[in-house]
Amino acid sequence: MRDYKKDFPIFSAKENDGLIYFDNAATAQKPSAVLEAVQKFYEADNANPLRGLYNLSVRATEAYQKSRATIARFVGAAQAEEIVFTRNASESLNLVAYSYALSALKAGDEIAVSVMEHHSNILPWQMAAQKTGARLVWLECDKATGEIPQEEYNKITEKTKIVAMTHVSNVLGTTNPIKKIAALAHQKGAVIVADGAQALPHIPVNVQDLDVDFYAFSGHKFCGPTGIGGLYAKRELLEKMPPFLRGGEMIEYVTREGATWAEVPEKFEAGTVNVGGAVGMAAAAEYLMEIGMEKIAAHDNELAALLVQKMGAIPHVNIVGSKDGAKRCGIVTFTIDGVHPHDISSILDTEKIAIRAGHHCAQPLGQYLDLPATARASLYFYNSAEEIDRFCAALARVREWAGFKD
């Protein structure tokens, strides 16, 4: 691949000279194409959209709806109306929990959740279970491979009404077989809610092919702005669901006694919408589609395989989950004997290497693995083999810098 780092102004900023950014699972950097799209909108087309009849507002509305169509194409939705704009994947998952689950569940029903979920795909289902009398059923993963064994799927039964599953784990890098799980869920009469926050930036996604009922994502994970994300949902489900938030723009008509709602998806987008964010997220999707998601996936897997290989040769470094880097979607989580993950991150920061350390908003997984904290290096298409060499050279000295003699 060409040097895509040149497309990202942050890497040429004086303050970031020599920076190795390996925290892409937390947030990706923004290319000039995204920054320029957002700036152009605010400089030339900014107005309150949807209701204004003057030309500037019409242009803002067109920019918003064009962004929706772009995101629909990016995720493979059948129609743009199946995309609801939200603040992020967390809000998208809460929307499903409040607007779908609370009316769909009853006492005795089950929600199947994998142990590797981000808190954003656990807490909404805990809430829904508490309010309806349903219960959570946990699907465990193999501690060595990070994959869910076939027998665990036997826990999805006729009692299961919702299966909540991450497409790619933000800790293990595991890509779950969402298409297969969706088919199983539908066979049992359940819907599947997929958290696509980590998958959408790294692998080709087609929600129609996967046959998911809901698919949540965040723009900032795939080079878009923060504060904008989305929810794909099958239109027939959206039509039946009540609004999540109520207020301006999501109504058709309001009286003193009640209200009727706008059409899908506007009935889920209360208040003045984030047009600039939607424009930026669409620009990010266009940028990635131009590169090619297959090419990005191949690069990320190749780079992660190289990283796992080189880390495996460093004494006292322990990789969490699969040792097959090509299966990790660019995410490599690890520990170092005797050194707390926070200290690993702080030491590497002195070498201008940015990684993540902590529980990664996946504490049930940490408890299951008996690892309350880990360090995580996460790669993207603008990272390089040269950066991996420099990272591993620094990693090999972390214990020395921490005071160990071996």
Side-chain angles (χ1 to χ4, degrees):
M1 293 178 74
R2 71 173 176 84
D3 185 7
Y4 286 102
K5 188 171 285 189
K6 295 177 180 177
D7 293 347
F8 293 78
I10 196 165
F11 293 120
S12 60
K14 181 180 179 181
E15 301 91 329
N16 301 322
D17 183 44
L19 171 68
I20 293 178
Y21 185 75
F22 278 5
D23 195 22
N24 294 286
T27 198
Q29 297 303 337
K30 322 306 172 194
S32 296
V34 170
L35 302 176
E36 290 165 3
V38 174
Q39 183 174 358
K40 180 180 180 297
F41 170 77
Y42 282 116
E43 287 183 346
D45 297 320
N46 179 53
N48 204 308
L50 302 175
R51 299 296 181 185
L53 301 178
Y54 53 92
N55 181 263
L56 189 60
S57 179
V58 170
R59 294 206 309 270
T61 301
E62 290 174 347
Y64 190 60
Q65 302 299 18
K66 182 181 178 183
S67 299
R68 195 191 305 278
T70 298
I71 296 301
R73 180 160 50 93
F74 185 47
V75 303
Q79 52 187 281
E81 290 75 17
E82 292 180 318
I83 301 298
V84 178
F85 284 132
T86 61
R87 288 185 305 139
N88 43 47
S90 296
E91 184 174 295
S92 297
L93 294 164
N94 274 274
L95 190 162
V96 180
Y98 278 94
S99 293
Y100 177 81
L102 291 185
S103 56
L105 296 172
K106 65 181 186 305
D109 289 341
E110 294 180 349
I111 307 167
V113 182
S114 90
V115 74
M116 66 181 75
E117 298 307 308
H118 188 282
H119 295 162
S120 294
N121 206 24
I122 295 176
L123 299 181
W125 311 118
Q126 289 180 341
M127 177 278 300
Q130 290 163 1
K131 287 183 177 292
T132 63
R135 74 183 189 97
L136 267 60
V137 174
W138 293 90
L139 308 183
E140 315 287 10
C141 66
D142 185 283
K143 294 181 180 181
T145 67
E147 297 178 351
I148 298 174
Q150 182 60 42
E151 57 268 24
E152 285 295 298
Y153 293 120
N154 294 332
K155 295 177 179 178
I156 300 175
T157 70
E158 282 72 15
K159 289 184 178 182
T160 308
K161 302 306 175 187
I162 296 172
V163 178
M165 181 78 67
T166 185
H167 196 169
V168 170
S169 166
N170 74 312
V171 176
L172 300 170
T174 305
T175 301
N176 286 313
I178 292 296
K179 184 174 180 176
K180 170 184 165 184
I181 298 166
L184 176 59
H186 295 153
Q187 180 185 343
K188 300 297 184 181
V191 300
I192 181 167
V193 184
D195 177 359
Q198 291 298 334
L200 195 56
H202 297 280
I203 60 177
V205 170
N206 185 301
V207 292
Q208 291 184 79
D209 179 62
L210 295 173
D211 198 22
V212 289
D213 299 290
F214 302 95
Y215 197 90
F217 53 91
S218 292
H220 73 97
K221 302 284 191 184
F222 61 89
C223 302
T226 54
I228 186 71
L231 173 71
Y232 159 80
K234 292 179 178 177
R235 182 157 186 166
E236 59 266 29
L237 292 171
L238 289 175
E239 296 285 2
K240 296 175 183 177
M241 290 161 53
F244 175 38
L245 301 172
R246 306 184 184 212
E249 306 295 351
M250 50 73 65
I251 54 89
E252 178 187 47
Y253 195 74
V254 177
T255 67
R256 293 189 183 196
E257 291 75 28
T260 56
W261 313 127
E263 296 294 320
V264 168
E266 282 81 8
K267 77 172 179 178
F268 296 104
E269 297 175 357
T272 299
V273 294
N274 183 4
V275 189
V279 166
M281 183 165 67
E286 292 277 14
Y287 174 79
L288 295 182
M289 286 189 285
E290 184 176 340
I291 295 171
M293 291 308 300
E294 293 84 0
K295 182 187 284 189
I296 290 173
H299 172 83
D300 292 352
N301 288 336
E302 180 181 340
L303 216 56
L306 178 64
L307 178 57
V308 168
Q309 175 193 339
K310 288 182 175 291
M311 288 175 65
I314 302 173
H316 301 288
V317 172
N318 312 294
I319 294 173
V320 180
S322 174
K323 305 304 184 290
D324 185 349
K327 291 184 175 180
R328 301 192 61 115
C329 250
I331 294 172
V332 182
T333 307
F334 63 97
T335 61
I336 296 179
D337 295 337
V339 187
H340 193 280
H342 290 168
D343 294 328
I344 297 172
S345 178
S346 296
I347 290 169
L348 291 177
D349 184 52
T350 65
E351 296 295 298
K352 305 203 76 170
I353 298 171
I355 67 163
R356 180 70 40 163
H359 55 64
H360 313 296
C361 294
Q363 287 180 298
L365 178 60
Q367 293 158 6
Y368 176 68
L369 298 175
D370 196 23
L371 290 171
T374 56
R376 183 185 69 193
S378 51
L379 315 171
Y380 210 8
F381 63 94
Y382 43 66
N383 292 126
S384 66
E386 291 75 20
E387 289 180 322
I388 286 178
D389 287 341
R390 190 174 134 204
F391 169 78
C392 288
L395 199 65
R397 299 191 64 192
V398 165
R399 275 176 56 89
E400 176 189 342
W401 290 330
F404 291 88
K405 302 300 181 183
D406 57 342

